[in-house]
Amino acid sequence: ARTTATNMALVAALVVAAVLLPAVVHGHGSLIMPPARNSIDAETPAWSNGKHPETGTIEPYNCGCTNGTSTCSNGQSCFWFSQGCTIGCSKCDGHGARLPNYDHCPDESIKATLLPKYRTANQKSVPGSKQDIFKFNPWMAPGRAPVFDACGMAGGNFVEVFNAGAYNTTKFAKQGDLGTKVLKPRPSGTVWRRGELVKARWQTTAKHGGGYQYRLCPASATLTEECFQNMPLEFASDKHYVVFANASLNRYINATIVTEGGGIGWAVNPLPNPTATACDYVVPKGKHCPWKCAGCGAPKYAADGACPTVCSKEYPGLPDNAGSDPTIFPDPLPHIDFHDYAIEDTLRVPADIPAGNYVLGWRWDCEMTSQVWSSCADITIA
């Protein structure tokens, strides 16, 4: 719980941030195998055959990825997400600025259900304390934060925002569109058999901690979070397979699956984010954020409402480094660019579900931001 004064101060800060900057985005990821509905822009010339042009004008970014020896044609799939999503809230508010200890719905939020041993950042802070700055973020209670849409929102907001919260308009979608409303069924040709072990792959283009889950929803049903959460898929291995374009580099790394507390059955994101720049602050009137990006300077000054900073610099008493602690969570793939590989998981298809067409959902709950990434792919279960 927060004091009234603290709550009012953070609300005031967020109001200023909303005026200067509707939101800020810090992590991007997507399902790449089976191919997702969210990657539909790969069927346009600009994103065809593995091309990844820049998305957005404030801080141009792309979904550059690797899919083993296959071409990674994922369009703008890493730009489908939700933000401003606090655990226990009934809805997301769209404000993604990383104001520490920010609760997006004080009257509805819940306490963390995730056991501390599954945390991926700021691990030495006391759970629930002021120093535990990520306590309201999605990974703190896996699956308990709301989303804009079970298949994501294009660009994560209704307008383009700082730090790659954007979506280039195509004939398939535009900024602010909801995935379940505009992304049509896209048969992938993927056939899974009941009771068998199958493979799926995802890639992150910006690390941000937390964890993820694969789920199913019958294609004939309304694609809602409730439908997906009713049919989670079991991870069938205690390893992730890391897949490179050069297959000789492929390797296994350890997987951590939550087995107790909140989020049982979810996988911990195996890629740590040791950054010290883990907070944002609202720049005082008359000054501007020194962060460098195409839209950070005049006339937009797009980062002024969510200027990245070392937490303790702008918020005395907070950690000097709230990123992943390398003594607790070492990088399993040190000195390798995370754009150069994908993570492949082995899943078990339930033996007792009806055969038919399904939508595979992939949901990544972030720990270091109030964001949730979502992908949806069409598969057949025989």
Side-chain angles (χ1 to χ4, degrees):
R2 298 181 305 188
T3 65
T4 300
T6 301
N7 186 59
M8 291 178 67
L10 283 172
V11 169
L14 189 63
V15 169
V16 174
V19 172
L20 295 175
L21 175 71
V24 58
V25 170
H26 292 273
H28 292 74
S30 62
L31 180 71
I32 57 175
M33 187 187 83
R37 294 183 182 187
N38 308 75
S39 62
I40 186 63
D41 291 328
E43 297 183 12
T44 66
W47 282 273
S48 65
N49 300 315
K51 294 194 290 287
H52 296 99
E54 302 289 85
T55 290
T57 59
I58 292 175
E59 191 167 21
Y61 194 76
N62 66 56
C63 297
C65 63
T66 299
N67 188 20
T69 57
S70 301
T71 300
C72 194
S73 295
N74 65 337
Q76 297 184 90
S77 60
C78 72
F79 291 94
W80 291 86
F81 63 99
S82 306
Q83 63 182 333
C85 311
T86 283
I87 53 177
C89 289
S90 57
K91 61 182 179 180
C92 303
D93 66 16
H95 299 295
R98 301 174 303 167
L99 302 179
N101 293 303
Y102 190 76
D103 183 349
H104 294 257
C105 63
D107 295 329
E108 298 179 298
S109 61
I110 61 174
K111 292 183 178 180
T113 64
L114 186 82
L115 295 183
K117 67 179 181 178
Y118 297 117
R119 287 165 50 166
T120 60
N122 198 26
Q123 291 98 328
K124 291 183 179 177
S125 65
V126 176
S129 68
K130 176 184 176 182
Q131 289 72 35
D132 183 15
I133 63 173
F134 305 131
K135 64 174 71 73
F136 297 111
N137 288 345
W139 181 237
M140 293 297 96
R144 298 294 302 277
V147 292
F148 284 135
D149 187 88
C151 294
M153 174 188 277
N157 210 312
F158 296 101
V159 295
E160 182 181 353
V161 297
F162 167 63
N163 213 343
Y167 199 88
N168 290 358
T169 298
T170 69
K171 64 181 180 179
F172 298 110
K174 64 181 183 304
Q175 182 91 32
D177 279 348
L178 301 179
T180 63
K181 304 300 182 184
V182 303
L183 298 176
K184 306 303 181 185
R186 189 184 181 213
S188 66
T190 300
V191 178
W192 290 351
R193 298 190 180 280
R194 288 169 288 180
E196 291 190 347
L197 301 185
V198 296
K199 310 290 187 182
R201 290 178 188 167
W202 60 273
Q203 187 175 47
T204 180
T205 55
K207 298 179 182 179
H208 231 69
Y212 63 98
Q213 182 187 59
Y214 297 92
R215 313 88 62 78
L216 293 174
C217 179
S220 59
T222 301
L223 301 181
T224 63
E225 267 299 301
E226 181 180 13
C227 182
F228 280 115
Q229 292 195 18
N230 283 337
M231 203 179 298
L233 291 180
E234 175 190 351
F235 288 92
S237 173
D238 62 357
K239 302 287 185 182
H240 301 288
Y241 192 48
V242 184
V243 183
F244 293 82
N246 178 353
S248 68
L249 298 176
N250 292 0
R251 67 196 71 177
Y252 287 96
I253 60 173
N254 290 331
T256 300
I257 310 302
V258 178
T259 59
E260 56 182 327
I264 290 175
W266 287 62
V268 174
N269 188 318
L271 308 177
N273 182 22
T275 182
T277 311
C279 289
D280 294 332
Y281 72 101
V282 178
V283 178
K285 186 176 180 179
K287 297 184 178 181
H288 297 293
C289 180
W291 197 259
K292 302 299 182 183
C293 74
C296 289
K300 294 181 179 179
Y301 296 111
D304 284 6
C307 188
T309 186
V310 173
C311 299
S312 60
K313 180 179 179 181
E314 297 295 331
Y315 303 96
L318 294 191
D320 293 327
N321 189 327
S324 304
D325 188 326
T327 66
I328 298 173
F329 187 12
D331 191 343
L333 299 163
H335 314 301
I336 301 175
D337 189 331
F338 52 83
H339 294 87
D340 291 342
Y341 56 80
I343 303 295
E344 182 175 287
D345 293 310
T346 301
L347 310 171
R348 188 182 305 278
V349 181
D352 57 353
I353 61 174
N357 294 323
Y358 286 81
V359 176
L360 172 68
W362 179 81
R363 171 172 165 155
W364 169 25
D365 281 17
C366 292
E367 179 171 352
M368 299 175 72
T369 64
S370 61
Q371 295 151 345
V372 177
W373 259 258
S374 304
S375 295
C376 291
D378 292 279
I379 65 171
T380 297
I381 293 182

